[in-house]
Amino acid sequence: MKRLKPYMQIYLMGWGVYFINYCCRYNYSASMVIIGQTEEIDVTQLGFVASVLFVTYGSGQLISGWLGDRFNPKIMIFCGTMGAAISNIIMSLSDNVLTMELAWGINGLCCSFLWAPMVRLLTLYMPEDLLNKAILSFSYCSALGITATYLLTAWLNSYFSWRVCFWVPAIISALSAAGWLLVSLTSGPVPKSISNVLTSAIQNELKQSPLKIYCKSGLPLIFIMIVIMGVLKDGIMTWLPQIITDTLKINAEDSIAISAVLPLTHVISVWAIKWLYKHKKDNDMLNSGILFVSSGLCMLIVVFSGTFFPVLNIILYLLISTLVNGISVMLINSVPLQYARFGRVSTLAGITNTFTYVGSSLSSYGLGFIAQNYSWSFANGALALCCFLGLLFSLLANPLWRNFIQVKKAPETMRQQKSGADQVERDSVWKDHYHMN
C-alpha cells in the first residue's frame, strides 16, 4: 500500500486533531445548563467561566501565533492537544466555580496552540493550488466538531453525570495527541519557508513597513469587525441552550439537543462563501457588510417578536448563525492568507483569532449579565446593535481592502508570466523537504 504524501498526512491528522479540539472546547458551553442546575450556579457565574476560556484562548493566540512562525509547529500542536486533555480531566473533578475557572482557563490556553501553528504547517506543506481549499475545509471541521459535542453531551447527560462530558473528550484528545506525534515523526522535518521564492516579484512592496501595509489594507478596522463577529458568533453559540430553556420551558437535555443543529449552519456558510469565491465575488469586506446587515434585520425581528413566537426566534437564531459564520470564514480563514507573502501568516492567524475571542469573552459574560438583570430581549437588542456596527466598519474598511487586494493581484500575474525558474527552485524545495522523488 502506497504511503500518503507528507502534506496529506499533516492535513488529515491535523483535521482530526482540530475536530477533537472543538469537543474539548465546547463541551462546557453544551453542559452549562446542566451544570447550573446540578451545582446551583447562576447564569452570571456560568458565563464568567466561559469568558475565562475565551480570554485565555484569545490571548494565547497571540503567543502561539508568534511562536508558530519561529519554532516547530508540530511540537506546539502536540503540547496543546495533550494539555487540553489534562485540563478537561481537571474540569471534571472541579467542585466549585473557582476551580472551574482555573481549569477552563488552562484549557483555553492549551487549545490556542493549535490554529496558528496549523495554518503555518499547511502553508509550508500544502501545494499552493490546494492551500485555500485546505484552509477552508477546516470550517467543516469546526461545524462537525461542535455538532458532535452537543449531541454527545446531550446523550451523556441523559445517562451519566455532567462530569463524564469532560472525561470522554479528554481520553479522545490524549489518543489524538499520540496519533499526531506519530504523524509528526513519519512526515519528515518541517520544510523551510519558501516565501523568498514565492515573493521574488514583489520585493518593492516588501520594502515597506509591515505596520504601514497593515494600516493601508484596513487591518485595524478589520480587527474591530472580528470582535463584533465574535460577540455574535459565540454569543449565540454559548447561550442558545439557555435561551431555549427559558423561552420554550423545556428540559435542559432537549435544549442541548436542539442546539446541536446550530453548528451545521457553519457548513451552509462555507458553501455560500465557496460560491462567492467561485464567481469572483471575493471582496471580503463588502460581503461581510451584506451579511452583517442581514443578521441585524433578523435580530430586530427576534427583538420585536419577544416571547410570542419562540419557534420563529429559534429559526432566526439559526439563520443569524449561518450569516455570522460566513463572516467568520472570510475574516478568520481568508484574510490572513492575503498576508502570507510577508512571512508572518501564523502571527496574523493568531492575532485575528485573538480578536475573535475578545468578542467571545464580552458576549459570554455580558449577555448573561444583561439577561439576568434585564431580559433576553435586551440582550437581543445589544446583538442587533452589534450587527449594524459591523456594517459600519465593513463600509469603512472596504475601499482600503479593495485597493490592497488589487495591488496583490498584479504581482501574481507577473509571477505567472515568469520563465519558470522560480518553479524549478520551488520544486527542489518540495523534494528536499518532503522526500518526494
Side-chain angles (χ1 to χ4, degrees), residues 197 418-426:
V197 176
K418 292 179 71 176
S419 64
D422 283 355
Q423 184 62 41
V424 173
E425 186 177 354
R426 176 184 171 87

Side-chain angles (χ1 to χ4, degrees), residues 45-82:
Q45 290 178 305
L46 290 170
F48 190 78
V49 174
S51 292
V52 171
L53 176 135
F54 291 138
V55 169
T56 57
Y57 184 87
S59 57
Q61 288 288 343
L62 288 174
I63 300 170
S64 69
W66 186 86
L67 292 175
D69 280 322
R70 292 161 176 82
F71 298 98
N72 191 326
K74 292 181 179 179
I75 296 176
M76 294 178 62
I77 292 172
F78 171 78
C79 292
T81 305
M82 187 60 73

